Amino acid sequence: MKNKRILFGICGSFCNHAHILKELKQMVKENDVQVVVSQAVYESDTRFFKAKEFINELESITKHTVMHTIVEAETIGPMNVYDIMVIAPMTATVASKLANGIYDHPVTLAAKAMVRNEKDIVFGIATNDGLGISGQHIFALLNYRHMYAVPFRQDAPFEKGRSIVAEWSLLMETCDKALTGLQIQPILLGGKS
């Protein structure tokens, strides 16, 4: 990707945020990236990051103020300035909301706006329940127009048998393919790389 305007949605799965920062730093080298976060990301201090420190880091990397409210996300549709959206990490809850047309938080409303504008969404899933009841919603998204998955794998099959996480190093390549209307393959990866 080069010279694209990218909307980057960040949800929970806080243990993956360090990986996302690494990918975001690569993405901003040749693209203009605007971040939108869930309320939980904006407000929650975790063992991985203090909320304010994480938001400051995002703003330092992108040079944009982070969007974090429904009111801000509502402007995305009418503005129609983004070429593609990334949601990473996407939680099972956000996957379920999108699969069922529920747009009650900043990232889901932003995704609705992108679909309204016929733009692609690349999602990187990270959940302890991806091979459980949440799987039906994750896999439903793969059937939706404009939705593309970052390839994923079981991240701890013997400790957390239903847990899956995207291979973050494939995020940029997944976006490149999505911009040409193609899903990167394979989607399901083998054991830990």
Side-chain angles (χ1 to χ4, degrees):
M1 279 190 308
K2 214 177 206 181
N3 302 319
K4 298 295 182 190
R5 292 199 70 185
I6 302 163
L7 184 62
F8 201 114
I10 301 176
C11 304
S13 191
F14 298 99
C15 60
N16 283 285
H17 285 181
H19 300 293
I20 295 308
L21 288 176
K22 181 180 173 190
E23 297 306 315
L24 192 58
K25 286 174 184 172
Q26 290 301 311
M27 198 171 275
V28 299
K29 287 181 179 177
E30 297 184 307
N31 302 282
D32 181 22
V33 183
Q34 169 67 57
V35 173
V36 57
V37 298
S38 67
Q39 182 178 351
V41 170
Y42 194 77
E43 296 176 353
S44 300
D45 291 335
T46 70
R47 63 188 166 110
F48 304 101
F49 289 99
K50 297 289 186 201
K52 188 66 178 162
E53 291 169 3
F54 185 65
I55 298 304
N56 287 344
E57 181 72 9
L58 293 172
E59 292 179 346
S60 174
I61 292 167
T62 64
K63 310 300 185 228
H64 293 291
T65 302
V66 168
M67 291 181 172
H68 63 95
T69 68
I70 290 281
V71 173
E72 291 168 321
E74 194 278 329
T75 66
I76 292 166
M79 285 190 315
N80 195 16
V81 295
Y82 300 106
D83 298 303
I84 191 168
M85 181 177 189
V86 171
I87 305 175
M90 175 190 273
T91 62
T93 300
V94 169
S96 298
K97 287 176 185 251
L98 290 176
N100 288 288
I102 301 169
Y103 310 112
D104 62 351
H105 92 24
V107 177
T108 58
L109 188 60
K112 176 188 176 191
M114 293 298 286
V115 171
R116 159 195 158 162
N117 292 330
E118 298 286 327
K119 301 294 173 65
D120 297 322
I121 298 171
V122 167
F123 66 92
I125 196 71
T127 177
N128 288 330
D129 189 45
L131 298 180
I133 194 75
S134 299
Q136 64 184 318
H137 300 120
I138 296 162
F139 285 96
L141 291 178
L142 292 174
N143 288 309
Y144 291 178
R145 205 164 142 238
H146 298 298
M147 289 293 224
Y148 300 89
V150 177
F152 56 87
R153 64 171 46 90
Q154 286 182 271
D155 58 312
F158 301 105
E159 298 82 24
K160 302 182 293 182
R162 297 173 193 269
S163 183
I164 59 175
V165 68
E167 176 55 55
W168 303 120
S169 65
L170 295 174
L171 178 60
M172 292 280 282
E173 189 178 349
T174 305
C175 291
D176 285 335
K177 293 272 190 194
L179 285 166
T180 67
L182 297 173
Q183 169 64 57
I184 190 173
Q185 295 292 344
I187 299 172
L188 298 175
L189 301 175
K192 264 304 208 193
S193 61

